[in-house]
Amino acid sequence: MTVPAARPPRAADGGRQSRDARGRTALRVLGLDDGATLAGDVIDVVSPLTGSSIGRVPLLGPDDVARAARQAHAAQEQWASTGVRERSRVLLALHDLVWRLRDPLLDLVQWESGKARAHAFEELADTAMTARYYARAGARHLAARRRRGAVPGLTGVVVHHRPLGVVGIISPWNYPLTLAASDAVAALMAGNAVVLKPDSATPFTALAVRRLLTRAGADSDLFQVVTGPGSALGAPLIDAVDAVMFTGSTATGSAVASRAGGRLIPVSAELGGKNPLIVRADAPVGRAVRGTVKACFSNSGQLCISIERIYVHRGAWDRFVPALVRAAESLRVGAAMDWEADMGPLISAEHLARVHAHVADAVAKGATVLTGGRALPQVGPTAYAPTLLTGVTEGMEVFAAETFGPVAALYRVSDDDEAVRLANASPYGLNASVWTADLRAGVELAGRIRAGTVNVNDGYAAAWGSTAAPMGGMGVSGLGRRHGPEGIVKYTQSQTIAVQRLMPLQAPPGVGEARWAMAMAAWLRLARHLPGLDR
């Protein structure tokens, strides 16, 4: 077993005190109170980057959720009447603010989540891109459309998309900016209000989104943030809204969907993944190694679409695996607000313990650690080394359960068919990756993998960054989609308005039902031979 020496990046930002000072400056620039004057029960938020207190937010209860939903409902009626042009203006203003306040937003996201700056930048870019996409394409997706009526020329039919009302969003800690903002902008563009419940580890980034939306011109009641544990606020939120968007674990997502189903309200969910990556025999090793490192270790593996299973063709194994180990060992794990770190610490000591438990269980049962496999306390109290395993078998936790950390297992395969079979041998189906020099073969293989997104010669960013294309999971990895037309239409309900002209569809006066039925039957039989009729 080998472990990498900890290689923290240069402390160019001056150490923990400097990072805390930058975090406090970010709060001030973004207009967020540190919570020092709060009365009543509070949540103390601690930075995984420095171990210092970020501040306090209110510990709210069910009555607070109901109050926030009522305020959002009142604001939504006015917002829906403003029309898509005004909504588009607000979203574009949000886009501009995200870029204008880039540095304090990056500082806040890093301070609150612990991630490396490059990974915080991915969040910021995704938020801005999604806001821009729906600002420009939302009106097209929401536009009323004429449909063919029962009798062409006599029946006029128009389908409209009406907002649902108030959308409840439950967002996780791993991407506190984009998973708070990007789902919200689609709901807002569709004419809804939002009540957001962020994870208690990362509430300040969610509150920053609310401030940005208000500065962009949205009513302050249109986007509500309720802070508190999901165990206390989740059910009251679902009971108070008109639709739910949840991102998190499959187990919790199932409970969310069950409660929403009891009220017959729409629910969309992006859930867990045990995502596979396939290295074909012809894969360009250098490019595949670089892409695999990013796919496995971005955001320290705390990413629903992160790769945790790597299937390598036996013809590429001896070239690919040593190169991947060297690349993983060269990653710089650090707790800094500069651009030097390749990977930041994990979100909490509890999460670090869960990640290491997977590795320890695998090693105890016979797996081999190629690199990593240990915490890096000299870097930070929750830092963990990028870890690669071989010899993982079914009896090990890491084999099938989502680790959600910087841990991936390598498996040797004999051909594409075996790789696809093993890739699909999971109830999850969120994301997958294929590496090959033959793009046609790669696309064909990708189509055989049961996953909502499959990237050829990329780990996840190509699909994630394609805001015009839907993204979501198959199997137990979720319901519904975000991004694209699907990501905004899901926040609406369709209404069909039909107008009958000149003559009714029922039998005219003086024409018996039998004769009318014969005439209708003749027309419908003729329609069978008019292929353009149903387009």
Side-chain angles (χ1 to χ4, degrees):
M1 182 175 93
T2 62
V3 294
R7 298 181 56 200
R10 297 189 307 273
D13 59 2
R16 190 185 74 178
Q17 290 183 343
S18 174
R19 296 193 292 274
D20 286 336
R22 286 174 63 174
R24 286 189 290 270
T25 298
L27 290 178
R28 185 173 64 254
V29 171
L30 295 168
L32 302 174
D33 192 329
D34 65 1
T37 60
L38 289 175
D41 294 332
V42 297
I43 300 169
D44 290 305
V45 183
V46 176
S47 169
L49 200 69
T50 66
S52 303
S53 173
I54 293 175
R56 301 183 298 171
V57 297
L59 178 62
L60 301 180
D63 290 344
D64 300 299
V65 173
R67 186 181 307 111
R70 287 195 299 270
Q71 293 171 341
H73 271 290
Q76 186 270 332
E77 294 182 8
Q78 177 62 33
W79 174 249
S81 69
T82 61
V84 293
R85 182 172 297 182
E86 172 62 13
R87 298 177 219 158
S88 174
R89 186 199 64 76
V90 171
L91 264 58
L92 288 175
L94 173 66
H95 167 278
D96 296 344
L97 282 169
V98 166
W99 290 121
R100 189 181 309 155
L101 297 170
R102 179 181 70 178
D103 288 335
L105 280 171
L106 289 174
D107 287 347
L108 177 57
V109 169
Q110 284 195 277
W111 199 34
E112 197 169 40
S113 70
K115 64 181 60 183
R117 200 164 187 84
H119 304 148
F121 181 82
E122 287 185 349
E123 281 207 66
L124 186 141
D126 183 67
T127 298
M129 289 166 58
T130 305
R132 186 194 70 215
Y133 171 75
Y134 282 121
R136 291 181 171 169
R140 182 173 72 252
H141 298 325
L142 298 170
R145 286 179 169 80
R146 294 187 180 278
R147 302 290 176 88
R148 186 171 297 278
V151 181
L154 299 182
T155 307
V157 177
V158 178
V159 176
H160 301 267
H161 293 291
R162 308 299 189 195
L164 293 167
V166 175
V167 175
I169 297 177
I170 303 174
S171 64
W173 49 260
N174 60 319
Y175 278 78
L177 177 60
T178 192
L179 294 180
S182 294
D183 288 316
V185 297
L188 292 170
M189 186 64 196
N192 300 284
V194 169
V195 178
L196 169 70
K197 197 217 82 64
D199 190 277
S200 295
T202 54
F204 283 99
T205 304
L207 292 168
V209 173
R210 184 172 187 265
R211 288 294 183 122
L212 291 178
L213 278 165
T214 303
R215 290 177 62 173
D219 187 300
S220 59
D221 286 340
L222 190 67
F223 184 91
Q224 301 279 340
V225 178
V226 291
T227 49
S231 58
L233 302 189
L237 177 64
I238 296 168
D239 292 345
V241 298
D242 303 299
V244 179
M245 173 66 209
F246 172 80
T247 304
S249 72
T250 294
T252 305
S254 178
V256 168
S258 178
R259 191 167 190 105
R263 294 191 57 227
L264 298 179
I265 62 171
V267 60
S268 184
E270 184 181 291
L271 306 176
K274 192 70 176 177
N275 305 301
L277 180 148
I278 296 173
V279 180
R280 297 186 74 238
D282 66 346
V285 170
R287 183 178 175 189
V289 164
R290 291 190 297 274
T292 301
V293 165
K294 180 176 177 63
C296 295
F297 303 125
S298 287
N299 200 34
S300 303
Q302 300 169 126
L303 173 60
C304 293
I305 52 179
S306 181
I307 295 298
E308 295 192 9
R309 298 180 288 149
I310 305 171
Y311 299 103
V312 184
H313 190 281
R314 61 186 178 187
W317 182 273
D318 290 339
R319 294 175 292 122
F320 177 83
V321 175
L324 181 64
V325 171
R326 290 193 298 271
E329 291 177 341
S330 72
L331 291 175
R332 294 166 295 185
V333 183
M337 283 183 176
D338 55 31
W339 294 89
E340 297 297 315
D342 299 310
M343 209 177 85
L346 301 181
I347 187 66
S348 67
E350 293 78 14
H351 189 58
L352 183 148
R354 286 193 293 271
V355 169
H356 185 64
H358 273 205
V359 176
D361 172 76
V363 171
K365 294 174 180 175
T368 299
V369 177
L370 298 179
T371 187
R374 65 166 183 167
L376 301 174
Q378 68 273 40
V379 173
T382 62
Y384 198 80
T387 300
L388 296 171
L389 305 172
T390 58
V392 171
T393 57
E394 283 193 43
M396 304 171 186
E397 285 187 80
V398 76
F399 179 82
E402 183 179 31
T403 303
F404 213 65
V407 178
L410 291 134
Y411 305 86
R412 191 195 307 255
V413 296
S414 58
D415 54 29
D416 288 351
D417 289 340
E418 183 182 12
V420 170
R421 178 177 60 80
L422 293 173
N424 288 338
S426 169
Y428 294 107
L430 187 56
N431 181 53
S433 175
V434 176
W435 291 85
T436 178
D438 186 340
L439 291 182
R440 180 174 294 182
V443 170
E444 188 276 332
L445 191 153
R448 297 165 58 193
I449 299 175
R450 189 177 61 90
T453 56
V454 185
N455 298 265
V456 178
N457 292 342
D458 189 79
Y460 64 85
W464 184 24
S466 301
T467 52
M471 181 178 180
M474 297 181 181
V476 299
S477 287
L479 301 167
R481 296 293 184 265
R482 60 164 54 100
H483 290 172
E486 294 85 348
I488 189 169
V489 171
K490 72 180 181 182
Y491 293 125
T492 68
Q493 49 192 341
S494 299
Q495 181 186 46
T496 299
I497 297 179
V499 176
Q500 188 62 28
R501 307 183 184 95
L502 299 179
M503 59 180 294
L505 291 178
Q506 67 267 30
V511 177
E513 293 291 345
R515 292 178 59 193
W516 181 248
M518 291 178 60
M520 289 297 296
W523 159 247
L524 293 173
R525 287 197 301 270
L526 175 63
R528 162 67 175 79
H529 303 286
L530 301 173
L533 191 65
D534 296 311
R535 291 177 184 169

